[in-house]
Each structure stands twice: as structure tokens, then as C-alpha cells.
């Protein structure tokens, strides 16, 4: 009896159904770097010596690193998890996903917001999704995650949730 063809193949990494990086738009990069350059000019103000070059050598690179850090968040859906930065939510605990526009996000995160909600919000991104949870062991009622494509992210999470889990063969099938 020959081994099954799948025995010779390496394990398959979970495929990504959705992936997005919540980076800053170009105009925020431009505004941040211009502000850093203006501050460096204010510190310099015609002085000589170290004050000639040090503000530019420190402030502009630090601003660039800070802007990069603000846009580092990644949102994705794998076969069985919603991934938001380093947080992971198994999709089996997802009851529903609601795509939100800017007004809907403002309403969900407004005055009556639940303080136990998990929120990853970026103000420069208008859309978001509200992921309503169904996990009795977790006090978190829902997640709110910024995204540029709320409908696509909601569809990817619901599709990943609705895919039946591949289970091991039953004991009767193994013999």
C-alpha cells in the first residue's frame, strides 16, 4: 500500500483571505515632515556650530520613524482567525460583522460606547467594522477595527467563520 499523496507534501500555511495595512496617507507624511523641518528651522534660527545641523539630523528622522510607527497596524483574516496587529480572534467566536462608515463608527465609539470593547481605530481611515462576539467566557462584547474596505473585511470574516472546520477522521474511519 502506498502512502497517500498528501503525506509527501509539507503542511500548508493558512491562506490569507484578507490583508490590509493601516498606513498613513501621503498628505499626513508630507504634513508631519514639513512640521518637523519647520521646528528644526526654529531651533536653528541662524545659529552656528552644532545647532546648524543637529535639529535637522534628529527631528526629521525621528518624525519619519514616528509616522511609520503610526501606520504599522495590519488587519487580516486567515483561515480561522481575525488578525489585528498582534491580537488574534478565532472566527468561531464571531456572531456577526457590521461594516461601518464614518458616521456609524462615530456612533459606536461615541458617548454610549461600551468600555469593554476592543478598539483599534485610526482617525485618518473613515471606515470600520464592528465584530460582535459570541463567547460567554470573554467579557468583551465586540471589536471595532478601522479598515479602508469595511464590506470586504466583513465578508472575509463571515466567510472564514462559515467554512466548516476540517476535523480529524473518526475512529471508525481509521480502521
Amino acid at each position: 500500500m502506498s502512502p497517500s499523496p498528501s503525506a509527501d507534501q509539507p503542511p500548508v500555511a493558512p491562506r490569507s483571505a484578507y490583508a490590509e495595512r493601516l498606513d498613513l496617507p501621503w498628505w499626513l507624511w508630507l504634513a508631519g515632515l514639513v512640521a518637523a523641518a519647520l521646528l528644526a528651522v526654529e531651533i536653528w534660527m541662524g545659529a552656528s556650530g552644532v545647532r546648524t545641523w543637529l535639529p535637522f539630523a534628529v527631528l526629521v528622522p525621528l518624525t519619519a520613524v514616528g509616522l511609520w510607527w503610526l501606520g504599522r497596524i495590519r488587519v487580516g483574516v486567515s483561515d480561522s482567525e481575525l488578525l489585528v496587529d498582534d491580537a488574534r480572534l478565532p472566527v468561531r467566536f464571531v456572531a456577526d460583522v457590521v461594516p461601518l462608515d464614518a458616521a456609524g463608527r462615530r456612533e459606536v465609539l461615541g458617548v454610549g460606547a461600551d468600555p469593554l470593547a476592543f478598539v483599534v481605530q485610526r482617525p485618518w481611515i473613515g471606515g470600520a467594522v464592528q465584530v460582535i462576539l459570541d463567547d460567554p467566557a470573554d467579557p468583551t462584547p465586540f471589536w471595532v477595527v478601522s479598515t479602508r474596505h469595511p464590506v470586504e473585511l466583513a465578508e472575509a470574516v463571515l466567510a472564514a467563520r462559515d467554512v466548516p472546520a476540517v476535523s480529524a477522521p473518526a475512529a471508525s474511519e481509521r480502521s
Side-chain angles (χ1 to χ4, degrees):
M1 187 149 138
S2 66
S4 67
S6 63
D8 297 335
Q9 298 173 354
V12 178
R15 66 176 174 81
S16 178
Y18 181 87
E20 176 183 13
R21 184 171 173 193
L22 304 180
D23 51 357
L24 277 75
W26 67 270
W27 54 270
L28 275 177
W29 277 91
L30 181 63
L33 292 174
V34 166
L38 285 173
L39 182 59
V41 167
E42 287 290 327
I43 294 172
W44 165 55
M45 290 297 284
S48 61
V50 174
R51 281 185 47 195
T52 304
W53 59 269
L54 188 62
F56 297 97
V58 172
L59 290 176
V60 174
L62 280 179
T63 301
V65 168
L67 292 170
W68 171 83
W69 183 81
L70 284 173
R72 79 192 187 290
I73 301 292
R74 294 186 186 272
V75 176
V77 178
S78 70
D79 288 333
S80 62
E81 290 181 319
L82 170 61
L83 310 165
V84 180
D85 196 21
D86 58 351
R88 297 173 180 269
L89 174 66
V91 293
R92 69 178 180 269
F93 296 121
V94 173
D96 197 12
V97 182
V98 180
L100 303 170
D101 59 359
R105 185 188 68 188
R106 198 169 28 255
E107 184 177 332
V108 168
L109 298 177
V111 176
D114 193 323
L116 295 177
F118 176 80
V119 178
V120 175
Q121 188 253 35
R122 294 295 181 249
W124 56 86
I125 297 176
V129 294
Q130 180 182 22
V131 181
I132 301 167
L133 304 182
D134 184 23
D135 184 7
D138 188 0
T140 305
F142 57 86
W143 285 24
V144 177
V145 179
S146 289
T147 177
R148 288 185 175 87
H149 311 285
V151 174
E152 289 88 349
L153 178 56
E155 289 172 351
V157 171
L158 292 174
R161 179 196 67 182
D162 295 339
V163 170
V166 178
S167 59
S172 61
E173 295 175 359
R174 287 188 223 153
S175 35

